[in-house]
Amino acid sequence: MVTARIAVLPGDGVGEEITRAAIAVLDAVAARGGHSFSYSFGKIGGAAIDAHGTALNDETLADCGQSAAILLGAVGGPKWDDPRASVRPEQGLLRIRKELGLYANLRPVRLFSALVDASPLRRQIVEGTDLLVVRELTGGLYFGKPSERRDGPHGREAVDTLAYDETEVRRVVRAACRLAQGRRKHLTSVDKQNVLATSRLWREVAIEVAAEFADVTVEHMLVDTAAMRLVRQPTSFDVIVTENTFGDILTDEASMLAGSMGLLPSASLGDGELGLYEPIHGSAPSHAGKDDINPIAMILSAAMLLRYSLDLDAEARSIEASVQRTLDDGFRTYDIMGAGDGRHKVGTQAMAREIASRLG
Ligand SMILES: NC(=O)c1ccc[n+]([C@@H]2O[C@H](COP(=O)([O-])OP(=O)(O)OC[C@H]3O[C@@H](n4cnc5c(N)ncnc54)[C@H](O)[C@@H]3O)[C@@H](O)[C@H]2O)c1
């Protein structure tokens, strides 16, 4: 029996609805397995800006750091959209990842057989896709200094800095190798070593780390080739590891394989058990309060929480199998209604109830 306190940061837009749906499924898991999960709620993103003037305050961050895991909805919305504003919702995300040392972002992309038709790619190409992208999350371009706009001799100019040290590369490639060991033991390390010095370091360190994992086959691929291969032969990938910016772009590309943003979970992990779990989609403000958004991405994120932060792998698999059964039984939210044998159109909370009722 596991007792755990989970920090819940619903954020903005549909965040409250999807976190509520995930908690309903977590509670059903707890009731079946005799576990006890409690939840402490905090604000992040626009909601935190409105309440505290900052996208994530110190108290909420401290509470998250002391919890077993963090469940996060999504942040952002038109009210806080001005890109020149000094306080912006996504600063909350960057801060929590950086300060809690959550350097490895895991994004599994698995195509549910009931939804093969939802993919924009042909069935022959996409069927059987089951890959995991591990993106470095706390280094690279999004954090390098200087990052600024200034006046130069030719007018306005701007600079961003791409920097990595070997420790940052080693830990995320090592994490990816360990994840590959638990899967099909194939790792693709993605870089741009023909052009970038950081990529040459990345490849050098990745080769050193790979030598520690004799049972994992490691290949190295340029990011442009990887982008092509993802749409031409997605089933050739098992685990992909890459730096922050390449990972940001490749994960969005890979997410399209599954057919809807509403299906894809993510986990951000560091060296300890603490992890942050969130869907890959945003706060979908136009759907807020309508009870129509697909909660599956958030519910599968909760399954990852059970697996990686609470060591409850059987319970995680039970949620994943239950999602599969619910889809096989024809239940669909609006975004996937046209895919496969969709017979029952349901809203957010009803989908969560269907999934909870099918837990093994
Ligand atoms: N991690 C995050 O919190 C995160 C990520 C991306 C975008 N955002 C923010 O979210 C806000 C809205 O961004 P956006 O509209 O570009 O992207 P979005 O992902 O919020 O939504 C785009 C569209 O995708 C569809 N969609 C997304 N999630 C869905 C789900 N679970 N079920 C069904 N359909 C779904 C909806 O049609 C929605 O209108 C912006 O403020 C943006 O900055 C936040």
Side-chain angles (χ1 to χ4, degrees), residues 119-133:
S119 174
L121 296 189
R122 285 199 306 276
R123 173 182 282 268
Q124 305 89 288
I125 289 179
V126 85
E127 198 159 37
T129 295
D130 179 6
L131 59 87
L132 171 66
V133 185

Side-chain angles (χ1 to χ4, degrees), residues 91-320:
Q91 290 167 344
L93 293 179
L94 295 180
R95 179 167 189 215
I96 197 168
R97 292 166 180 165
K98 187 78 176 175
E99 297 218 12
L100 298 180
L102 306 174
Y103 59 80
N105 181 232
L106 281 54
R107 289 195 182 187
V109 179
R110 176 179 160 213
L111 195 66
F112 289 102
S113 49
L115 301 181
V116 173
D117 302 338
S119 174
L121 296 189
R122 285 199 306 276
R123 173 182 282 268
Q124 305 89 288
I125 289 179
V126 85
E127 198 159 37
T129 295
D130 179 6
L131 59 87
L132 171 66
V133 185
V134 181
R135 165 188 168 195
E136 201 290 324
L137 202 57
T138 54
L141 267 182
Y142 300 174
F143 293 93
K145 296 278 183 275
S147 171
E148 64 192 21
R149 231 176 108 122
R150 57 199 180 196
D151 290 322
H154 307 291
R156 289 167 295 173
E157 61 177 39
V159 61
D160 294 297
T161 303
L162 173 52
Y164 271 106
D165 67 39
E166 61 177 300
T167 313
E168 292 171 304
V169 180
R170 186 169 293 114
R171 63 187 185 180
V172 72
V173 176
R174 210 171 258 153
C177 283
R178 285 199 201 100
L179 289 159
Q181 280 181 317
R183 294 173 48 102
R184 300 192 300 280
K185 300 185 173 51
H186 188 270
L187 178 71
T188 307
S189 174
V190 172
D191 59 43
K192 186 74 182 166
Q193 69 114 30
N194 52 344
V195 182
L196 299 174
T198 43
S199 278
R200 284 191 284 278
L201 175 72
W202 183 282
R203 192 173 287 207
E204 208 174 292
V205 176
I207 289 169
E208 290 163 14
V209 172
E212 300 167 16
F213 295 85
D215 55 337
V216 177
T217 307
V218 181
E219 65 173 336
H220 303 272
M221 194 176 283
L222 295 178
V223 63
D224 29 3
T225 309
M228 269 193 312
R229 179 91 76 84
L230 267 175
V231 287
R232 213 164 52 189
Q233 209 185 353
T235 53
S236 67
F237 291 109
D238 177 17
V239 179
I240 297 172
V241 65
T242 191
E243 60 95 73
N244 204 342
T245 310
F246 296 160
D248 193 4
I249 299 164
L250 289 184
T251 47
D252 267 28
E253 184 191 0
S255 73
M256 282 295 93
L257 302 170
S260 171
M261 302 269 274
L263 297 167
L264 295 162
S266 82
S268 300
L269 308 178
D271 285 326
E273 305 285 288
L274 181 66
L276 171 79
Y277 303 87
E278 57 182 320
I280 72 148
H281 61 77
S283 59
S286 62
H287 292 267
K290 291 187 177 159
D291 188 46
D292 68 351
I293 204 83
N294 189 343
I296 290 179
M298 187 79 246
I299 289 169
L300 292 174
S301 303
M304 294 181 86
L305 181 157
L306 295 177
R307 173 171 294 127
Y308 295 115
S309 284
L310 305 187
D311 202 19
L312 292 172
D313 191 60
E315 282 80 350
R317 274 188 278 118
S318 146
I319 293 180
E320 288 156 358

